[in-house]
Amino acid sequence: MRKLLLLVLALLLPGEVSAADRFWVGGTGSWSDDDNHWATTTGGVPANGNLPTAADNAIFDALSNTTAYTVTVDVAAVCLDLNFSAPPAVSGTITWAGSSTLAISGGMTLLSGMTRTYTGAITFNATSGTKTITTNSVATASPVTFNGVGGTWQLAGAWNVGSSWTVTNGTLDTNGQTVTNLTVLSSNNSNVRTITLGASDITITGTTSITFTTSTNLTFTAGTSTIRCTAPSTFNGGGKTFATVIFSGGGTNTIGNHSNTFGTFTDTGTVNKTGALVFNSGTTQTVTGTFTVTGDSPTNRVLVKSSTVGTAY
């Protein structure tokens, strides 16, 4: 009787589709156009109601089109895994375009050689398990937020980020991978969150490099990582311990916020007389290894000072 009742309910609700894979078909088009571009099988027939939900994998494979095509994210899109798995069957590649937001509840795999013009904000919001992010040398330009209570995101390769990372909830594990063109790494709330860097080499290009304005409930493990700040920046370390930090952008670099610990600390000046290394007054910065401040020449030196004249830092 119970099985019969469930069958009747299923027949009464024909519009409901269980979570599954969703395959892009039909070549160039907009994410929102499920009538023409989303099918339930690879190379299948698109239909209304097939738009990926947060429980559905969005897959772009060899049968998405025979030649080059563009998929434009034109609405606030959601999916489980975002998977660009294969180029068109005959020739050409995929262009990922648009600027609307994208919420990914699983992992992300980009296709080597694909074109990316997409700039929308990406939120990874898994709440369980470890999700992998594989960019395959495709540079991105999206601000990225990691925001899933209980979720973990692990890099499976290098990432040219092209924008910011914000860790709001969950665990970000860079897994020893190389990270370039990151504008800022921030985590500015009291939620339970973890950042693990391992042996990663991370280049940060923004005028605020690290911003941990509160260390409450933040577990930060630097490992043997190197953080390279290539622009004059403010480094708000939240009272955490860092391995190697290098400032190479010249100008004024400010170590603000809390009292931090560094394994190796380096500040290299440039060809001018305006270089300065500023420590917030009232803080204690501890370097357990090598502390190096190098000017460009005997006349172009780096001024080391407190943020408040006459007050020790």
Side-chain angles (χ1 to χ4, degrees):
M1 178 64 69
R2 180 178 176 83
K3 290 183 178 178
L4 179 61
L5 178 59
L6 291 173
L7 176 61
V8 170
L9 287 173
L11 292 173
L12 289 174
L13 298 171
E16 292 191 357
V17 180
S18 60
D21 291 338
R22 296 290 180 259
F23 295 87
W24 183 266
V25 295
T28 295
S30 297
W31 184 287
S32 63
D33 186 5
D34 52 353
D35 286 348
N36 295 298
H37 291 290
W38 289 108
T40 57
T41 59
T42 178
V45 178
N48 182 48
N50 287 343
L51 194 69
T53 70
D56 299 323
N57 299 315
I59 302 172
F60 303 82
D61 64 9
L63 297 184
S64 293
N65 204 47
T66 56
T67 57
Y69 66 93
T70 299
V71 53
T72 301
V73 182
D74 64 322
V75 293
V78 299
C79 64
L80 184 58
D81 287 345
L82 178 67
N83 188 355
F84 291 91
S85 65
V90 177
S91 64
T93 190
I94 307 166
T95 296
W96 178 24
S99 57
S100 295
T101 60
L102 177 59
I104 300 174
S105 299
M108 180 177 78
T109 301
L110 304 183
L111 178 66
S112 178
M114 69 182 289
T115 299
R116 190 279 318 153
T117 61
Y118 176 72
T119 57
I122 297 175
T123 298
F124 290 97
N125 58 13
T127 55
S128 63
T130 298
K131 313 302 178 183
T132 58
I133 299 171
T134 306
T135 65
N136 282 315
S137 300
V138 177
T140 61
S142 297
V144 176
T145 299
F146 301 92
N147 187 14
V149 176
T152 296
W153 303 274
Q154 187 178 77
L155 303 194
W159 190 349
N160 183 337
V161 183
S163 192
S164 60
W165 279 351
T166 301
V167 182
T168 303
N169 280 292
T171 297
L172 171 62
D173 177 8
T174 62
N175 193 31
Q177 303 298 330
T178 298
V179 177
T180 55
N181 203 19
L182 178 65
T183 57
V184 59
L185 172 59
S186 65
S187 187
N188 298 323
N189 55 59
S190 298
N191 301 331
V192 177
R193 63 248 192 258
T194 299
I195 299 172
T196 302
L197 302 185
S200 287
D201 193 307
I202 299 174
T203 300
I204 303 180
T205 61
T207 56
T208 300
S209 47
I210 299 290
T211 172
F212 301 157
T213 55
T214 175
S215 58
T216 303
N217 294 324
L218 171 62
T219 300
F220 177 79
T221 305
T224 58
S225 64
T226 298
I227 297 175
R228 304 176 189 274
C229 305
T230 61
S233 67
T234 298
F235 189 102
N236 290 322
K240 297 301 182 181
T241 297
F242 299 85
T244 298
V245 175
I246 299 171
F247 294 90
S248 61
T252 297
N253 295 295
T254 301
I255 312 302
N257 199 245
H258 302 84
S259 298
N260 308 292
T261 299
F262 302 89
T264 299
F265 186 104
T266 302
D267 187 305
T268 303
T270 54
V271 188
N272 56 59
K273 295 180 175 63
T274 61
L277 176 59
V278 181
F279 294 98
N280 263 17
S281 59
T283 67
T284 299
Q285 308 301 326
T286 302
V287 180
T288 59
T290 304
F291 177 79
T292 305
V293 179
T294 306
D296 171 70
S297 69
T299 56
N300 296 329
R301 301 181 181 184
V302 177
L303 174 64
V304 180
K305 63 178 183 177
S306 167
S307 61
T308 303
V309 176
T311 302
Y313 53 83

